Amino acid sequence: MNSFSTARVVRACVGIAAGLVWSAAPALAAHPMATGGLTSQPIGHYDFCKTNPAECSIRPSNLAPATMTDALLRKLTSVTVRVNAAVKPMSDYDIYGKDEVWAYPDKGVGDCEDYVLEKRRELFRMGLSFADLLITVVRKPDGEGHAVLTVRTDKGDFLLDNLTDKVRLWDETDYSFLKRQAIDNTGRWVSIRAGQPVLVGAVQ
């Protein structure tokens, strides 16, 4: 997130995971995020796509949300806990010598986008569709930029976050939602709440 100093990026993207909290899937469907039209792609994702072009040209054929079950919620929680514990929080500048690098945390270190990429990769390998695994840019209450993974389900949109081990519905958080990947094209992004300033670097 190149608009912040390294220290602010660390505060925005990393944190010691809270203790495991698991709860049963809600009985009634929650409201999904209301998305708008196409919007700018974060610069970090743009660079990631240049390095990993095959991952940014996927057009899922089935756009229906995943069916939320107790088994799926356990899977989401397990992946969240495992990745949060396995990756040491570290800023892009400390890892790469520059800001705004999105990469898989294969060396065991990373910032918020890297946690998201790893969770997304693991859940895709477990059978979830990329249409339901969406990198999402949010703003924390203190104004810092942050990235989380949105998992679309028929019981609402759930967030996987490196700042907590709890899998939460998106509208149970205090984040402001800015943009996320489009469900029908992994290289495109759509707005969530039009008119809010985007707090991460982006390209048109």
Side-chain angles (χ1 to χ4, degrees):
M1 297 191 171
N2 59 352
S3 59
F4 304 130
S5 67
T6 300
R8 294 188 69 189
V9 171
V10 173
R11 289 198 302 272
C13 285
V14 301
I16 304 301
L20 170 62
V21 180
W22 187 91
S23 59
L28 299 176
H31 294 292
M33 293 181 198
T35 57
L38 293 175
T39 190
S40 57
Q41 181 182 19
I43 186 64
H45 190 247
Y46 174 80
D47 290 337
F48 173 81
C49 289
K50 289 196 296 184
T51 305
N52 305 275
E55 294 199 28
C56 299
S57 58
I58 299 169
R59 298 188 178 187
S61 56
N62 182 2
L63 302 183
T67 301
M68 176 53 83
T69 63
D70 287 343
L72 176 57
L73 187 55
R74 286 193 296 269
K75 183 182 297 184
L76 300 181
T77 302
S78 175
V79 168
T80 298
V81 172
R82 182 169 65 252
V83 174
N84 285 356
V87 179
K88 177 183 177 181
M90 188 175 294
S91 73
D92 289 332
Y93 191 84
D94 289 337
I95 301 170
Y96 305 105
K98 59 181 181 179
D99 290 330
E100 200 63 19
V101 178
W102 293 26
Y104 289 108
D106 293 332
K107 296 182 179 180
V109 294
D111 68 356
C112 56
E113 299 95 351
D114 307 338
Y115 286 85
V116 170
L117 288 168
E118 182 60 30
K119 292 169 186 176
R120 180 172 171 266
R121 176 167 66 175
E122 291 195 19
L123 289 167
F124 176 73
R125 289 173 175 172
M126 293 178 179
L128 274 75
S129 168
F130 279 128
D132 301 325
L133 301 171
L134 307 172
I135 306 170
T136 305
V137 173
V138 304
R139 180 172 58 187
K140 295 165 57 182
D142 60 6
E144 301 285 1
H146 187 46
V148 295
L149 180 65
T150 296
V151 180
R152 295 173 61 239
T153 82
D154 60 351
K155 296 295 192 296
D157 295 338
F158 288 79
L159 299 189
L160 278 59
D161 193 341
N162 67 296
L163 299 180
T164 177
D165 284 347
K166 184 178 181 180
V167 175
R168 301 173 291 174
L169 284 163
W170 75 282
D171 53 4
E172 292 178 350
T173 73
D174 53 5
Y175 294 147
S176 296
F177 290 78
L178 302 176
K179 60 174 70 178
R180 76 180 190 190
Q181 285 178 296
I183 67 173
D184 60 348
N185 188 324
T186 55
R188 294 185 176 181
W189 286 68
V190 294
S191 62
I192 299 175
R193 293 184 179 179
Q196 294 191 90
V198 177
L199 300 182
V200 297
V203 295
Q204 295 300 324

